[in-house]
Amino acid sequence: MSNLDKKYTIHLDLINDVQNRKMKFSLSDNETSDFYIKITKSMEKVDLTNKAVRLYVIKPNKNLIYTTITLCKEGNKTNVFYCDLSNDFKNIKGLYYAQIL
């Protein structure tokens, strides 16, 4: 995968711990930071239709920003949330901490 096409799939389970690989983005990434979030409960599919999901991020300068994440409704990505990180989510060098609610 080229540096221009950074796409990650994150698996979150409401009950079990799931290890995901670290996501890395560069300051030079320009609207190319897509990722998908699969949410399960005890590793089983959960119907999250009509649910609001938000990504909250604490930036290296301690500022808090957030965005709403969209539920995919087509193809093999059903019941998976999609997020395209805007430049606000990666414009400062350092570690970012995120939480999905």
Side-chain angles (χ1 to χ4, degrees):
M1 184 173 302
S2 78
N3 286 337
L4 296 177
D5 295 323
K6 293 184 179 177
K7 294 185 180 174
Y8 296 93
T9 299
I10 307 281
H11 181 189
L12 301 176
D13 191 88
L14 301 173
I15 305 296
N16 301 312
D17 273 343
V18 178
Q19 293 294 318
N20 292 286
R21 66 183 177 138
K22 289 184 179 180
M23 297 181 1
K24 294 183 181 183
F25 299 105
S26 300
L27 292 174
S28 61
D29 289 345
N30 187 14
E31 304 299 330
T32 60
S33 307
D34 301 333
F35 65 95
Y36 296 90
I37 304 161
K38 175 180 154 187
I39 301 174
T40 58
K41 182 177 182 182
S42 295
M43 307 308 274
E44 297 292 327
K45 197 177 214 182
V46 178
D47 182 11
L48 296 171
T49 307
N50 300 320
K51 303 294 187 236
V53 175
R54 282 197 172 162
L55 171 70
Y56 290 87
V57 173
I58 299 175
K59 297 170 69 164
N61 63 2
K62 307 299 183 214
N63 287 347
L64 176 68
I65 57 175
Y66 68 90
T67 187
T68 300
I69 300 173
T70 307
L71 180 63
C72 298
K73 297 179 183 177
E74 297 177 12
N76 64 349
K77 295 287 188 192
T78 57
N79 210 43
V80 173
F81 290 86
Y82 169 76
C83 184
D84 180 9
L85 290 178
S86 66
N87 289 335
D88 295 357
F89 286 84
K90 55 187 188 278
N91 61 352
I92 301 172
K93 185 177 179 178
L95 292 177
Y96 290 69
Y97 296 92
Q99 183 173 22
I100 294 175
L101 299 173

